[in-house]
Amino acid sequence: MDLNLTADDVAECIIALIARNKLWAGKKVYAYFIANKTAGCFTNSHKSEKYKKFFTKTLEEIKDMPKCAASASYRIFSTEYAGHAKDLTQSVVAQLIATDDPQTESLIIIAGGDGTSLEVQTALYKCAMDGPKHSNAVKNRITILRLPLGTGNDGTDGHSMEETVELLKGGLIFSNSRAVRVYPEKEPDEAAVRACGKRPEKYQDMNFKAPWYSFNIASIGLDAYVVYMTNTVKKRLPGNFYHLCVPLSGLVYDKDFRSGNANIKLYKNTNDTEPYEEMNTKITLMAFGASGYRVYGGGHKVLPNEKNLCITPKTSLPVLIKENHRFVDGSFEHTNLAHLRQVEKVIINYDKPILMQCDGETVMLSSAHFPLIMELTEPCLRVIQKIE
């Protein structure tokens, strides 16, 4: 038997699970798999063999379970270039609108890393903004399933494939998830950015245009620098280096990014004009989640309860290294290491260059990008949720 995982291995197992779940009972199910064949699950020999055996074993275990769906089929798309996942997603939405079959349930299933997942979800969200037909298709007729086949598996449906399989075997309902939208109060031009002073040279090309979207966690500060370091190391040595990059990043972060002063205004609702709380502090990081109970970096519980905002005041390197484990298991919530809040909007002012990350993609901000707004969108993307 060939021990190398293929996109077909993934698709055959997942579509078999979907066909057997009561959520799709009596429906004609059609799944579009968007696969990034450069993801570690396909290119890393150890991971590839592990997943191959897992999917084969799962198929064997469920083969005698009765099917609930009237039919279930799939098509695989492999990304070939930057932005291809976006183009594929837009094509799926357009095709669904054109066919308009109410008995067909469509899924977009992401078989790749965090970058592919972000690209697909951003494209879906933007499609929903293109008018009533597109909005209805995205919110009510396309379900997105994010498989944990990458390195960090941030915001996936299950933090491991074992969790995902158990999820698909159980009782499910549809729900619509919110995203985090990030944008400057006033988009700066390049002259304004240059006038704010020179940014570290190696970050000069991180000038993606706003708005930015996150479907898990958007953050600024040391947290974003750890993501940058992890991604940099990963390009040379594929693997999960998040645990290693946290202390290493702490050693060099302050050399590239001098600590600035943050003014943070917190809003209970996106439409509120007055904040319910305001903080003035030097910060180590600020993380804003699409909801509470969010993790990343291979399971780090940066939002360990129902609150979706974490603000960590300036922390010394010895304390950061000593207490890092608390940001892995979430036990920092019972300390003064960070503030946890429930918000729908944050407006932050900052007077220095700083890195931001949205679901693993880093952006270089200058002081000209501030005030910066982070806010929750309306519920949009259709996802599956375990029946509680």
Side-chain angles (χ1 to χ4, degrees):
M1 181 181 73
D2 184 1
L3 293 180
N4 292 318
L5 182 72
T6 68
D8 278 297
D9 295 326
V10 180
E12 287 174 10
C13 182
I14 298 301
I15 200 68
L17 286 160
I18 287 168
R20 289 161 172 78
N21 194 290
K22 292 180 181 179
L23 184 63
W24 291 279
K27 294 289 187 179
K28 294 182 289 184
V29 179
Y30 200 89
Y32 302 85
F33 281 78
I34 297 181
N36 180 357
K37 292 185 178 178
T38 66
C41 59
F42 297 114
T43 59
N44 181 288
S45 58
H46 174 72
K47 285 185 178 181
S48 183
E49 182 176 342
K50 172 189 169 185
Y51 282 123
K52 177 86 171 186
K53 291 178 178 178
F54 176 74
F55 286 122
T56 302
K57 178 173 175 283
T58 301
L59 264 178
E60 182 65 23
E61 289 173 348
I62 67 172
K63 67 179 182 180
D64 295 326
M65 291 173 58
K67 294 181 180 179
C68 301
S71 64
S73 54
Y74 67 87
R75 184 177 177 186
I76 295 173
F77 297 99
S78 296
T79 57
E80 305 293 344
Y81 53 84
H84 196 189
K86 175 196 73 174
D87 297 339
L88 292 170
T89 302
Q90 292 171 339
S91 297
V92 169
V93 176
Q95 181 176 330
L96 180 64
I97 291 172
T99 54
D100 195 25
D101 181 0
Q103 291 304 308
T104 298
E105 279 284 346
S106 297
L107 294 98
I108 293 180
I109 300 174
I110 305 166
D114 294 337
T116 305
S117 182
L118 177 61
E119 194 174 321
V120 170
Q121 291 181 93
T122 301
L124 263 183
Y125 179 83
K126 289 182 176 179
C127 279
M129 302 299 108
D130 285 343
K133 285 186 176 181
H134 288 77
S135 178
N136 180 58
V138 172
K139 293 180 179 180
N140 302 312
R141 299 184 57 204
I142 299 175
T143 304
I144 189 165
L145 180 63
R146 302 149 295 189
L147 301 180
L149 295 172
T151 301
N153 297 324
D154 303 346
T156 53
D157 295 288
H159 304 309
S160 67
M161 277 311 309
E162 288 81 2
E163 279 189 35
T164 301
V165 165
E166 289 306 309
L167 179 70
L168 290 171
K169 286 180 178 178
L172 299 172
I173 58 172
F174 294 121
S175 67
N176 292 93
S177 65
R178 305 177 83 169
V180 180
R181 178 171 47 230
V182 186
Y183 57 96
E185 193 170 79
K186 181 180 179 182
E187 180 68 39
D189 56 28
E190 189 55 36
V193 173
R194 287 197 301 269
C196 291
K198 187 175 180 180
R199 294 171 292 172
E201 194 65 33
K202 58 187 173 184
Y203 311 112
Q204 291 297 317
D205 59 345
M206 297 180 184
N207 291 319
F208 308 113
K209 295 296 182 182
W212 304 284
Y213 294 93
S214 166
F215 301 86
N216 187 44
I217 297 172
S219 62
I220 63 172
L222 177 61
D223 185 62
Y225 189 74
V226 170
V227 171
Y228 166 79
M229 288 283 286
T230 303
N231 290 342
T232 301
V233 173
K234 235 176 15 178
K235 290 176 183 177
R236 297 170 182 162
L237 297 168
N240 188 357
F241 290 92
Y242 190 94
H243 297 273
L244 175 64
C245 286
V246 170
L248 288 179
S249 299
L251 290 170
V252 296
Y253 176 70
D254 286 339
K255 295 179 181 178
D256 277 354
F257 296 96
R258 296 297 181 92
S259 181
N261 298 300
N263 170 263
I264 307 169
K265 296 178 181 178
L266 313 181
Y267 299 80
K268 287 286 188 185
N269 302 292
T270 54
N271 294 327
D272 290 350
T273 56
E274 295 296 326
Y276 79 90
E277 185 178 356
E278 187 169 349
M279 297 182 186
N280 290 286
T281 182
K282 291 183 180 293
I283 60 171
T284 294
L285 68 90
M286 185 182 83
F288 190 116
S291 69
Y293 297 106
R294 294 278 171 168
V295 304
Y296 56 23
H300 287 223
K301 297 179 180 179
V302 70
L303 295 170
N305 59 26
E306 74 283 354
K307 296 175 181 177
N308 69 323
L309 180 71
C310 174
I311 299 171
T312 302
K314 182 63 179 173
T315 306
S316 68
L317 180 58
V319 171
L320 177 68
I321 293 174
K322 179 185 176 183
E323 303 293 351
N324 177 55
H325 68 96
R326 295 190 180 276
F327 290 89
V328 177
D329 60 22
S331 60
F332 73 89
E333 67 175 306
H334 304 299
T335 72
N336 60 1
L337 290 168
H339 309 291
L340 288 165
R341 298 289 189 272
Q342 181 70 47
V343 298
E344 288 198 356
K345 181 172 71 173
V346 167
I347 300 179
I348 179 170
N349 258 304
Y350 196 71
D351 59 359
K352 295 281 192 304
I354 195 168
L355 277 176
M356 176 179 73
Q357 72 83 29
C358 293
D359 291 359
E361 296 297 316
T362 48
V363 179
M364 182 70 230
L365 301 176
S366 75
S367 56
H369 288 92
F370 295 93
L372 187 75
I373 299 171
M374 293 184 171
E375 63 185 14
L376 293 180
T377 68
E378 291 299 312
C380 185
L381 302 192
R382 193 192 199 200
V383 297
I384 56 171
Q385 183 177 316
K386 183 178 179 181
I387 297 175
E388 299 296 339

